[in-house]
């Protein structure tokens, strides 16, 4: 039914997830994150995302935390597909016990599509453009799926890649509660 399909694509949710990232520089991290989104009106939403992870490189333990927040817009097409775009401001922080921490701004633009292929499965895909404060603007993508396990609960999976001189691949697995 149209009603159940539109509720599955709600932009009012909270998601908790396990995250794992692989950097080309032989730096791998794992940790946890939380993301929230709130829609206002039919076409707009705000979102925030925080991850806390750690890894090691050359036998040095490093904490890697990210915080992003932004504004987005969406438009539902007649065929059940929703087009969305968002712009996020972010802060990425690397911290090592012996050398201190380094924090830098990272802004991300995202343009994508999402669709419910069944009443229980939503798929999404997006092009991303990431602009780190120190470095070149990099293109990438996000692929995701949400599987409805109860009326307002979903199991989520998301894979993203920031491509460029140093690729960053990230996998998130979690639970999402819609409101």
């Amino acid at each position: 039914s149209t009603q159940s399909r539109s509720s599955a694509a709600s932009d009012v949710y909270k998601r908790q997830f396990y995250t794992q990232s692989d950097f080309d520089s032989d730096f791998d991290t794992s940790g946890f994150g939380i993301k929230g989104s709130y829609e206002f009106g039919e076409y707009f939403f705000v979102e925030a995302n925080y991850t806390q992870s750690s890894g090691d490189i050359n036998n040095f333990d490093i904490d890697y935390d990210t915080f992003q927040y932004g504004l987005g817009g969406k438009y539902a097409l007649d065929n059940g597909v929703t087009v969305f775009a968002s712009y996020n401001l972010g802060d990425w922080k690397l911290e090592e016990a012996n050398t201190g921490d380094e924090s830098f701004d990272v802004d991300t633009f995202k343009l994508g599509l999402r669709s419910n292929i069944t009443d229980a499965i939503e798929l999404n895909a997006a092009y991303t453009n990431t602009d780190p404060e120190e470095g070149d603007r990099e293109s990438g993508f996000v692929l995701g799926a949400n599987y409805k396990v109860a009326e307002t609960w979903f199991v989520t999976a998301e894979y993203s890649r920031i491509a460029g001189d140093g690729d960053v691949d990230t996998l998130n697995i979690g639970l999402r509660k819609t409101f």
Side-chain angles (χ1 to χ4, degrees), residues 52-163:
Q52 186 175 45
S53 59
S54 61
D56 67 71
I57 187 167
N58 299 326
N59 296 320
F60 290 102
D61 291 330
I62 299 192
D63 293 331
Y64 172 59
D65 301 339
T66 66
F67 176 67
Q68 293 183 285
Y69 58 94
L71 178 65
K74 63 181 182 161
Y75 183 77
L77 304 174
D78 290 337
N79 60 1
V81 173
T82 298
V83 177
F84 63 91
S86 65
Y87 190 82
N88 285 278
L89 303 174
D91 180 58
W92 292 8
K93 182 179 177 180
L94 295 169
E95 184 174 355
E96 196 275 322
N98 296 323
T99 60
D101 64 344
E102 181 180 348
S103 182
F104 46 98
D105 295 333
V106 179
D107 299 344
T108 303
F109 170 75
K110 187 185 304 183
L111 177 63
L113 301 171
R114 71 172 177 228
S115 180
N116 292 80
I117 60 170
T118 71
D119 285 345
I121 299 172
E122 175 190 287
L123 299 178
N124 61 73
Y127 162 80
T128 61
N129 190 287
T130 303
D131 187 13
E133 175 183 16
E134 298 186 22
D136 295 330
R137 183 180 298 268
E138 305 289 356
S139 295
F141 64 87
V142 178
L143 300 174
N146 298 314
Y147 179 72
K148 188 176 194 175
V149 293
E151 187 60 32
T152 60
W153 289 94
F154 297 80
V155 173
T156 66
E158 183 177 85
Y159 172 77
S160 65
R161 169 172 270 199
I162 300 172

Side-chain angles (χ1 to χ4, degrees), residues 18-35:
Y18 168 80
T19 185
Q20 184 173 334
S21 294
D22 175 24
F23 295 75
D24 266 358
S25 60
D26 295 326
F27 176 52
D28 299 332
T29 65
S30 61
F32 295 93
I34 187 167
K35 180 175 183 175

